[in-house]
Amino acid sequence: MSSNSSNEDCLGWAARDPSGVLSPYKFSRRLLGHDDVSLRITHCGVCYADVAWTRNKQGHSKYPLVPGHEIVGIVREVGSNVKRFRVGDHVGVGTYVNSCRECDYCNDGLEVHCMKGAVYTFDGFDVDGTITKGGYSSFIVVHERYCFRIPDNYPSALAAPLLCAGITVYTPMMRHNMNQPGKSLGVIGLGGLGHLAVKFGKAFGLNVTVFSTSISKKEEALILLGADNFVLSSDEQQMMALAKSLDFIINTASGDIPFDPYMSLLKTAGVLVLVGFPSVVKLSPASLILGMKTISGSITGGTKQTQEMLDFCAAHKIFPEVEIIPIQYANEALERLIKKDVKYRFVIDIENSLK
């Protein structure tokens, strides 16, 4: 498996326990395999998954834990069998770094749904039996299949959020044919995922309505992001005015909300898709049966669609709104993320701050 590459120390920031507090941490990456790419990390996006895993919200975090799965960097070395990348290329790594490569889903380029389970970029089991460690670190070694070419002239800092937040909203929109001009899209929540759903919707030529619990988001939605309509979700009259008007609603929020009011906004055969993680989903069966509506779920995307999404963003000049921070600010950033105090994605400048 291995080349003659040295297994040098990697510098990262890790949580040592469920407090989630990050601090500097040195560790060894696995040796470069014949099919691997070694990537010098320049930027890493901050995702709510970083909060959940560092604080053991799922109950299976393995410490020390180095988070980060929105990774962009520059190729510094490639294995002898690597064909797609060369030293100096700008490359991204997303939420998973391995899969079985044999099941129907892997064969269809849907590796995230691998029958044996995709290997997550952090807190998973790598091919050498070690625990995967994420992008809050100086470099990473990944099989070339799970690396993505960052299009020329696309800023590395802006590419990072596309590798989780971007593909998470792009995937269900493509699956449900929401790339057809003239259709109507509703977006619940205007955070890291929601603001990209709006941007994709406008690039696809959709009529986009943003739903939020905060009136302060109105100007951002309409002026900054170009949404066509803003609805305060607590205003019953505003909600009722949109009855049976939307083809598709994407719920990017993880808070618990009443679903029946949103289902009533869908046209016949409309779809509401969950990409956030509410603790419970409650709705009346009539909300589905009357109007043959659907509620669905989605996570990130496969390798083929992720590259397609990156190329689409470059071609249509879709850029996430980010706040660039040094690694030393990571703990404060995670606290602000919990409070939804970011517009709209933190990106760590690994290259210039992790020393």
Side-chain angles (χ1 to χ4, degrees):
M1 168 189 141
S2 299
S3 73
N4 293 323
S5 175
S6 62
N7 192 12
E8 65 189 273
D9 282 339
C10 183
L11 178 59
W13 275 48
R16 284 11 186 250
D17 56 53
S19 71
V21 175
L22 300 168
S23 58
Y25 170 63
K26 281 190 175 181
F27 62 99
S28 294
R29 291 286 187 188
R30 64 176 172 83
L31 295 174
L32 183 81
H34 298 302
D35 300 304
D36 289 336
V37 172
S38 179
L39 192 69
R40 174 170 60 84
I41 298 172
T42 62
H43 296 86
C44 185
V46 178
C47 175
Y48 190 79
D50 301 343
V51 173
W53 261 260
T54 56
R55 303 188 183 204
N56 200 27
K57 300 289 188 183
Q58 314 299 319
H60 52 61
S61 295
K62 295 174 280 294
Y63 298 101
L65 189 148
V66 179
H69 60 198
E70 295 181 338
I71 300 167
V72 175
I74 298 171
V75 177
R76 61 179 202 157
E77 189 177 2
V78 297
S80 58
N81 294 339
V82 171
K83 307 298 183 187
R84 296 171 50 222
F85 302 105
R86 296 182 299 178
V87 172
D89 285 348
H90 286 251
V91 171
V93 175
T95 60
Y96 53 96
V97 292
N98 212 341
S99 63
C100 79
R101 296 175 230 151
E102 297 175 347
C103 70
D104 289 345
Y105 297 106
C106 285
N107 289 334
D108 285 343
L110 295 170
E111 297 89 344
V112 68
H113 298 294
C114 175
M115 290 290 291
K116 294 182 179 179
V119 176
Y120 292 148
T121 303
F122 61 84
D123 202 43
F125 289 99
D126 213 337
V127 293
D128 63 348
T130 61
I131 305 302
T132 57
K133 293 177 171 58
Y136 291 26
S137 58
S138 54
F139 75 96
I140 191 169
V141 177
V142 181
H143 189 288
E144 71 165 330
R145 176 168 178 158
Y146 309 94
C147 296
F148 308 100
R149 184 173 300 281
I150 304 302
D152 293 341
N153 302 320
Y154 199 99
S156 295
L158 303 186
L162 299 178
L163 293 158
C164 176
I167 189 60
T168 297
V169 294
Y170 182 88
T171 294
M173 292 175 77
M174 297 300 290
R175 176 186 169 198
H176 295 282
N177 300 312
M178 284 302 295
N179 60 340
Q180 300 173 2
K183 285 192 171 184
S184 53
L185 167 70
V187 178
I188 303 174
L190 200 59
L193 277 68
H195 93 285
L196 283 169
V198 174
K199 286 176 179 269
F200 282 127
K202 295 308 299 178
F204 289 142
L206 309 182
N207 185 284
V208 180
T209 297
V210 170
F211 297 91
S212 177
T213 57
S214 175
I215 191 65
S216 65
K217 296 287 184 76
K218 182 174 183 178
E219 186 173 341
E220 300 167 22
L222 300 177
I223 306 301
L224 176 63
L225 302 175
D228 300 284
N229 193 17
F230 177 89
V231 171
L232 192 63
S233 55
S234 59
D235 189 319
E236 290 186 19
Q237 288 190 326
Q238 289 186 40
M239 293 285 284
M240 290 172 60
L242 289 180
K244 299 181 180 180
S245 68
L246 302 177
D247 294 290
F248 188 78
I249 298 174
I250 185 165
N251 179 20
T252 70
S254 291
D256 292 331
I257 62 172
F259 282 87
D260 289 309
Y262 288 104
M263 299 302 290
S264 71
L265 307 185
L266 291 171
K267 297 177 182 177
T268 297
V271 176
L272 186 152
V273 67
L274 302 177
V275 294
F277 281 84
S279 63
V280 66
V281 175
K282 290 184 178 180
L283 72 164
S284 166
S287 291
L288 298 176
I289 296 168
L290 302 178
M292 57 179 188
K293 298 169 186 178
T294 300
I295 187 164
S296 180
S298 188
I299 48 173
T300 60
T303 55
K304 180 181 178 181
Q305 200 161 59
T306 300
Q307 188 64 60
E308 173 190 297
M309 180 268 310
L310 288 166
D311 294 339
F312 181 85
C313 288
H316 293 268
K317 293 181 168 50
I318 298 172
F319 301 113
E321 306 292 328
V322 306
E323 181 177 335
I324 299 174
I325 62 170
I327 187 71
Q328 294 78 12
Y329 190 74
N331 287 307
E332 288 85 349
L334 293 176
E335 289 294 336
R336 283 179 56 192
L337 185 58
I338 294 169
K339 299 173 184 175
K340 302 179 182 178
D341 178 25
V342 54
K343 296 177 183 176
Y344 288 93
R345 202 70 160 182
F346 289 116
V347 174
I348 303 172
D349 183 352
I350 298 289
E351 183 177 39
N352 292 312
S353 66
L354 182 59
K355 306 295 183 182

